Amino acid sequence: MFRSNRSSCSHRVMQAESSEGLLQRRAEVRRRKLLLNSEQRMKKIVGFSQNEADRPARVLEPRFHLDLECNEPWSSSCSSNRLSPLVSDPSESSGEEDVSGGVQQRLAGSPRRGLQKYVSRFDDAMKLRGQLSAEKTAQDGGGEELDSFCVFRLVCSVALAVFVRIFVCQYLSIFAPFLTLELGFMGLHKYFPKVEKKSQSTMLTAALLLSGIPAEVISRSTDTYRKMSGIFSDLCVYFFSFITCHELLLLLGSDMS
Amino acid sequence: MAAGFNWFLVLSSVFLCNLIKTLLPSISSFLSKIFQKDADQEMEMRMEIQNMKMELSTVSMMDEFARYARLERKINKMTDQLKTLVKSRTAQQAKMKWIVNIVFYILQAALMISLILKYYAEPVTVVPSKWIAPLERLVAFPSGIAGGVGITCWLVVCNKVVAIILHAVS
C-alpha cells in the first residue's frame, strides 16, 4: 500500500513537472512568435499593414515606412521610397508582397506626384495665411504711402489740367495732352527712386494660387492692374481739376476761351 | 445759379461720405462708451485685483499659507469675473461697430441713389462737346446731352479724388 501511495505521489509529481514544462514550453513558443511577428505588429501600430497594400492607392497622408530588415545605408533614394507605403523596394519585398509589388509601383508614380503637388500647395496656403494675417494688421494700422513719383504724377496732372483749360482746350480734345503726359510718365519713371511695392496677398491671390495659376502670372497681372489703376487715378485727378478750373473760371466771370 | 452748383453739391456729398467713413471707428468707440453700463464696475474690479496682488506680495507663503491661499483664490475669482466682463464689453463694442457700419453704408447708398435719381436726366455741368471728344458719350452717361458731365462719371471721379486727398492727409 505504501508502495502504491509512493507510486501515486511520484506520478502526481511527474504530472506536475510535465505540466510545468508544458507551460514553459508554451510560453517559450509564444515568446518566439512575438519576436518573429514584431515587425508586422510595428507596421500595424504605425498604420501600414499587409491588407492596406492590396487596397487601391490612398495618397492622402504620407506615412513613415519602417523597414527593419533593410541593411542598406540611408540614402535619398532609399528615403524617398520609404515615404510612401505604396512603393515597395524589390530587394526588401517578401514573397507575399511580390504579387502586389508591381501594382504598387505602377500606382506610386502619379499618386506621389499628386501628393507632392498637394503638399506644396498646402504649404503655399499656410504661408499665404500667415501673410494675410500679418498684412491685415499692417493694413489696419496704415495703408500704402504715396511715393515721390505718385505725388509728381498727381501734381503734373493738376498743372496740365489748368494749363489745358486756360490755353489748349479750344483747339483740341483735353484727352490728347493727357495721353502725352502719360507717355512722358512712362519715360520719366526710371529717373525716380524705385519703391519696392510689397506684394499684397489677398484672398483672391490666395484662391488663384491654390487653383493652380502660377505665381508669376498672378504677380504680372497684379503689376499690370496696379499700373492701370495708376493711370486711372491720374485721369480722374486730371478731369476733376479741369472741370473745377472751368467752373471756377465761369464763376469768376473771366472769358478766356 | 443753382444749376451751376450741381457739381459742387455732388462733390460735397462725396467728400462728406468719405470723411465720415474715415471717422467711423472713432464714432463707434464713442457710442459704445456711452452705452456701456459696467465701465465703473470694471475699473473698480481692476483696482481691487491690483490691491489684492500688492497685499499678496507682502504675505509670506510659508508663514501664513492659509491667508495666502485665501487671497490667491479671491484674486483668481475676481480675475475670472473681470474676464467675463471684458468679454461682454468686447462683444458689445463689436456689435456697436457692426451696427454703425451698417447704418452708415445704408445712408451712403441712399444718398448716392438719390443723387443719381435727381441728376439722371440732367448733367451736373456742361462743357463744349469737342473738349471731351471722343469720350463725350461715356462722360455724359446717363444724361445723353452732348458735352454734359453725367452723374455717374462725376461720382466716380469725385470718389477717387477725395479718397486720394484724404489718404494723403491722413
Side-chain angles (χ1 to χ4, degrees), chain A residues 239 243, chain B residues 122-127 132 139-140 143 147-151 153-154:
Chain A
F239 189 71
I243 296 292
Chain B
E122 63 172 299
V124 292
T125 187
V126 181
V127 297
I132 51 175
V139 171
S143 62
V149 178
I151 182 68
C153 174
W154 190 238

Side-chain angles (χ1 to χ4, degrees), chain A residues 143-146 154 165 169-175 229 232-233 236-237 239-240 242-244 246-247 251 257, chain B residues 1 4-5 7 11 125-128 130-135 139 149 153-154 156-158 160-161 164 167-168:
Chain A
E144 212 175 279
E145 281 186 7
L146 291 170
L154 295 173
R165 173 59 191 87
C169 61
Q170 57 267 36
Y171 303 115
L172 77 165
S173 167
I174 64 171
F175 297 113
S229 174
F232 180 72
S233 301
C236 288
V237 169
F239 189 71
F240 177 84
F242 181 84
I243 296 292
T244 308
H246 172 69
E247 293 296 329
L251 190 68
S257 59
Chain B
M1 199 66 167
F5 284 101
W7 65 277
L11 174 64
T125 187
V126 181
V127 297
K130 66 171 185 177
W131 287 6
I132 51 175
L135 299 177
V139 171
V149 178
C153 174
W154 190 238
V156 167
V157 166
C158 287
K160 191 71 184 174
V161 170
I164 290 170
H167 178 63

Side-chain angles (χ1 to χ4, degrees), chain A:
Chain A
M1 198 169 132
F2 182 69
R3 259 189 216 160
S4 63
N5 283 341
R6 270 184 80 182
S7 64
S8 65
C9 276
S10 62
H11 182 67
R12 270 188 224 137
V13 165
M14 275 172 67
Q15 271 185 344
E17 281 176 0
S18 65
S19 65
E20 210 177 293
L22 192 66
L23 284 170
Q24 278 179 355
R25 272 201 296 277
R26 279 183 188 165
E28 191 62 39
V29 164
R30 243 183 280 130
R31 206 178 303 128
R32 273 190 211 145
K33 205 176 170 184
L34 277 171
L35 285 170
L36 283 171
N37 291 339
S38 62
E39 191 193 328
Q40 277 187 2
R41 196 168 289 106
M42 186 58 81
K43 283 178 193 174
K44 266 189 196 173
I45 291 166
V46 168
F48 171 65
S49 68
Q50 214 171 358
N51 294 333
E52 287 180 359
D54 293 331
R55 283 188 214 151
R58 287 197 304 157
V59 250
L60 295 176
E61 299 166 6
R63 292 206 187 123
F64 185 63
H65 176 89
L66 282 177
D67 188 9
L68 303 173
E69 293 171 10
C70 183
N71 293 324
E72 292 172 6
W74 188 258
S75 62
S76 58
S77 59
C78 195
S79 63
S80 64
N81 283 339
R82 291 180 197 286
L83 279 174
S84 169
L86 301 171
V87 176
S88 62
D89 197 352
S91 63
E92 52 193 61
S93 61
S94 62
E96 293 165 36
E97 290 176 350
D98 280 340
V99 178
S100 56
V103 175
Q104 288 173 10
Q105 281 178 7
R106 250 183 283 135
L107 288 172
S110 51
R112 203 199 299 168
R113 244 181 277 127
L115 175 66
Q116 282 172 358
K117 219 178 185 180
Y118 172 80
V119 169
S120 68
R121 279 190 201 172
F122 185 75
D123 287 338
D124 290 338
M126 295 309 289
K127 279 179 205 167
L128 276 168
R129 188 186 164 197
Q131 273 181 7
L132 277 169
S133 56
E135 281 177 11
K136 197 181 175 188
T137 50
Q139 276 170 12
D140 289 343
E144 212 175 279
E145 281 186 7
L146 291 170
D147 58 351
S148 58
F149 188 57
C150 278
V151 174
F152 174 72
R153 283 168 75 140
L154 295 173
V155 169
C156 284
S157 301
V158 172
L160 182 68
V162 173
F163 178 79
V164 164
R165 173 59 191 87
I166 294 171
F167 300 113
V168 179
C169 61
Q170 57 267 36
Y171 303 115
L172 77 165
S173 167
I174 64 171
F175 297 113
F178 175 75
L179 288 172
T180 312
L181 181 70
E182 286 300 315
L183 286 171
F185 286 152
M186 284 177 197
L188 288 171
H189 178 70
K190 56 186 175 186
Y191 295 109
F192 281 83
K194 274 189 182 174
V195 176
E196 279 295 322
K197 299 268 182 185
K198 193 177 156 191
S199 61
Q200 287 187 350
S201 303
T202 59
M203 290 299 291
L204 179 64
T205 52
L208 289 172
L209 201 63
L210 287 171
S211 56
I213 296 172
E216 200 183 320
V217 171
I218 295 172
S219 68
R220 276 191 191 168
S221 307
T222 313
D223 200 34
T224 308
Y225 174 76
R226 200 180 286 137
K227 281 179 185 164
M228 297 299 291
S229 174
I231 292 171
F232 180 72
S233 301
D234 294 340
L235 179 62
C236 288
V237 169
Y238 176 80
F239 189 71
F240 177 84
S241 307
F242 181 84
I243 296 292
T244 308
C245 182
H246 172 69
E247 293 296 329
L248 286 174
L249 286 173
L250 283 179
L251 190 68
L252 291 171
S254 66
D255 191 16
M256 289 179 122
S257 59

Side-chain angles (χ1 to χ4, degrees), chain B residues 62-78:
Chain B
M62 303 296 174
D63 299 335
E64 297 173 285
F65 178 75
R67 190 181 161 203
Y68 186 92
R70 213 178 304 125
L71 208 54
E72 203 174 24
R73 270 200 300 273
K74 267 188 193 173
I75 290 171
N76 290 341
K77 189 180 172 187
M78 199 154 276

Side-chain angles (χ1 to χ4, degrees), chain B residues 90-122:
Chain B
T90 315
Q92 196 186 9
Q93 272 180 347
K95 196 177 168 185
M96 182 59 68
K97 188 179 170 185
W98 185 74
I99 290 170
V100 166
N101 280 346
I102 295 274
V103 167
F104 168 73
Y105 284 122
I106 288 172
L107 289 174
Q108 187 187 27
L111 178 63
M112 293 298 136
I113 288 170
S114 62
L115 282 173
I116 289 170
L117 288 174
K118 183 174 162 53
Y119 296 109
Y120 190 83
E122 63 172 299

